[in-house]
Amino acid sequence: MTWPEWLDLSSNKLSGQIPTGLLDLTFLSFFNVSYNQLVGRIPCGNQFNTSENGSYQGNEGLCGVPLSRGCDNIVSEQPPPAPSMNSHEDEGSKLEFGWKVVAIGNGLGFIFGVAMECACLRTGKQNGW
């Protein structure tokens, strides 16, 4: 397996802090996370010590080296929680149905209805049950 020498994650709408686990990727010679919504202190060490200011531009919440903005006055903010896709989640409901489950249920109901109508037509009972 070959290891990538560069990692460009710019303009991907990434949010949160830069994971310190990226320090373990010592084989990277280029790292760019510009124009995202990243916050917090830029990790120090390995390839992060060689990255230029432009690799982090467009992330107003980032601070630390190589940026001219220090972290002394900036409180590390956590990104807001993702909006809930299930409106019943706040009400304590544990049931969660996606559109696929509903579509399968509707499809099976339709097939059952058509099969029952065919059975009624074959037997001559037009009134159903």
Side-chain angles (χ1 to χ4, degrees), residues 21-100:
L22 291 175
L23 289 170
D24 297 334
L25 304 179
T26 56
F27 46 82
L28 288 178
S29 61
F30 176 78
F31 179 73
N32 184 358
V33 290
S34 60
Y35 301 106
N36 285 293
Q37 291 126 22
L38 298 172
V39 297
R41 182 181 300 275
I42 297 171
C44 296
N46 297 332
Q47 75 277 8
F48 289 98
N49 289 345
T50 61
S51 295
E52 297 179 4
N53 199 4
S55 294
Y56 304 101
Q57 70 185 14
N59 293 290
E60 299 304 318
L62 283 180
C63 61
V65 176
L67 299 176
S68 57
R69 182 175 45 245
C71 293
D72 298 334
N73 299 332
I74 298 176
V75 176
S76 177
E77 46 181 280
Q78 294 294 327
S84 174
M85 297 299 286
N86 185 355
S87 62
H88 298 291
E89 189 172 283
D90 296 334
E91 298 169 10
S93 174
K94 300 295 181 192
L95 297 176
E96 187 173 327
F97 293 104
W99 66 270
K100 291 180 182 179

